[in-house]
Amino acid sequence: MHIFVLIVLTFILVVDALPGKLFVFDNEKTLSPSLDRDFPDPSIVKDSDGKWYAFATTDGRRNVQVATAPAARGPWTLLENVDALPDTGRWTDGQNTWAPDVRRLADGSFVLYYSGQLANDSARHCVGVATSAAAVGPYRPRDRPLACPLAAGGAIDPAGFVDGPSGRRYVVYKVDGNSLGRGGACNNGVQPIVPTPLLLQELAADGVAALGDPVQLLDRVDADGPLVEAPNLVRTAGGAYVLLFSSGCWSTPDYKINYAIAWDVMGPYARSDVPLLQTGDFGLTAPGGATSVDDAAGTVVFHADCEQGRCMFQARVAVVGENVIVSR
Ligand SMILES: *[C@@H]1O[C@H](CO)[C@@H](O)[C@H](O)[C@H]1NC(C)=O
């Protein structure tokens, strides 16, 4: 009994002594893909009948790939003949649809946020929104993008979020500044480096209508390399807001998952000293695009390099104070 208390106390003291530090459990073990195919920027959601669906960036044949599983942890099967977003909206050219994020609304219907390539400028993406009664889709897009800051480079990588205590709904996304960059890694390795801020936009309960102006949560610093992107917000039971994001260039082993913590949804967000997941952890290469799971708290899905391209992986995360702990 006394030894047990001592161990717990030691653990808490160690955690307290290292604010912002990361603890990776079982890091000597490797993680295997939960779906063995190119399935980048994944998000997963539970349907009302208990089935789970996963969504990913286009594979060239489908705008939004879909897989299904009987449980959050799988096993996952690709739905070969399904495109969750057959029509990407009049404002898009229907090409290069990226980073879909699906969330269930309070009325039981579903909303899909995505990055659509502009009909009037194929060098730019903006954030679109589409809705469906069923999790699997097909999602019906709105005629206009939800966020389209073209002078700053457009917008990509949306993720929905509901703030538990207030019940307010939001979407976080990345201003795609590097689409205006001067070349180099991810088109932003050459001076002057362009900002790639992560913004928070409040939404109405329908998950579609924007309320007021977006607020900036974080921007890249030199240690991030060319960019920060793929923001995702989650609130812990302890009341901390954890902003997951990726930095580095996705096509290099420098790509990694980072996080920052705040005690108010608007910030300020304090960046962790160390990444959440980086190349080498669990045998992964270039992990990125981490997304929280609303009906499986403590689970994140993300992608990392694999033989087929970028496969979907899953891990468990726990937050202790200001520390985020990752395990298999
Ligand atoms: C191009 O399309 C976007 C998205 O619909 C729109 O915001 C923008 O004003 C358009 N630009 C021009 C020059 O029409």
Side-chain angles (χ1 to χ4, degrees):
M1 181 65 187
H2 288 275
I3 288 171
F4 176 71
V5 169
L6 189 66
I7 290 170
V8 169
L9 261 180
T10 307
F11 179 69
I12 289 169
L13 288 174
V14 167
V15 167
D16 271 352
L18 298 166
K21 281 288 178 200
L22 167 83
F23 296 83
V24 178
F25 288 144
D26 300 336
N27 195 14
E28 72 282 4
K29 301 198 182 113
T30 57
L31 267 176
S32 305
S34 48
L35 186 61
D36 230 351
R37 61 173 283 120
D38 190 42
F39 204 78
D41 311 308
S43 79
I44 70 173
V45 77
K46 189 183 186 180
D47 204 351
S48 41
D49 66 1
K51 273 193 195 163
W52 285 80
Y53 291 93
F55 305 86
T57 281
T58 182
D59 63 354
R61 281 179 53 208
R62 293 160 277 242
N63 297 320
V64 171
Q65 303 187 70
V66 190
T68 190
R73 297 290 288 193
W76 291 96
T77 310
L78 184 80
L79 296 175
E80 286 284 351
N81 299 314
V82 176
D83 183 343
L85 190 66
D87 172 7
T88 52
R90 287 206 308 246
W91 58 276
T92 72
D93 66 3
Q95 303 294 308
N96 295 317
T97 306
W98 300 336
D101 183 273
V102 173
R103 304 283 161 169
R104 193 171 55 223
L105 297 169
D107 69 0
S109 69
F110 295 85
V111 63
L112 185 156
Y113 304 102
Y114 61 102
S115 321
Q117 187 165 293
L118 292 195
N120 63 19
D121 182 356
S122 64
R124 231 59 73 199
H125 279 72
C126 283
V127 167
V129 57
T131 50
S132 167
V136 68
Y139 288 80
R140 205 168 45 79
R142 295 301 185 267
D143 285 343
R144 290 179 195 190
L146 173 58
C148 199
L150 285 177
I156 64 169
D157 292 349
F161 171 65
V162 177
D163 188 5
S166 70
R168 287 184 178 162
R169 189 165 279 280
Y170 298 89
V171 63
V172 283
Y173 59 88
K174 170 216 181 187
V175 175
D176 201 19
N178 47 306
S179 79
L180 301 173
R182 277 92 178 163
C186 278
N187 198 39
N188 205 19
V190 176
Q191 298 287 341
I193 305 291
V194 183
T196 62
L198 308 180
L199 302 191
L200 175 75
Q201 170 69 60
E202 189 176 351
L203 302 172
D206 66 1
V208 171
L211 299 179
D213 293 327
V215 172
Q216 179 172 323
L217 303 185
L218 201 86
D219 196 359
R220 64 166 288 291
V221 296
D222 285 344
D224 293 311
L227 56 80
V228 288
E229 62 186 12
N232 181 92
L233 258 185
V234 61
R235 186 181 182 277
T236 70
Y241 295 88
V242 181
L243 177 66
L244 302 169
F245 60 97
S246 305
S247 58
C249 183
W250 65 271
S251 57
T252 72
D254 280 344
Y255 204 51
K256 56 178 76 76
I257 301 167
N258 283 309
Y259 69 97
I261 291 189
W263 297 98
D264 184 304
V265 70
M266 300 289 177
Y269 283 83
R271 299 172 63 121
S272 163
D273 299 340
V274 287
L276 185 69
L277 282 172
Q278 60 186 327
T279 293
D281 291 343
F282 301 105
L284 299 167
T285 302
T291 301
S292 60
V293 184
D294 289 342
D295 284 305
T299 298
V300 288
V301 295
F302 59 98
H303 71 241
D305 288 2
C306 61
E307 224 170 90
Q308 295 85 348
R310 289 173 289 163
C311 290
M312 175 166 78
F313 289 78
Q314 291 174 275
R316 295 179 205 282
V317 293
V319 178
V320 179
E322 301 204 349
N323 304 284
V324 179
I325 298 171
V326 187
S327 62
R328 292 199 303 163

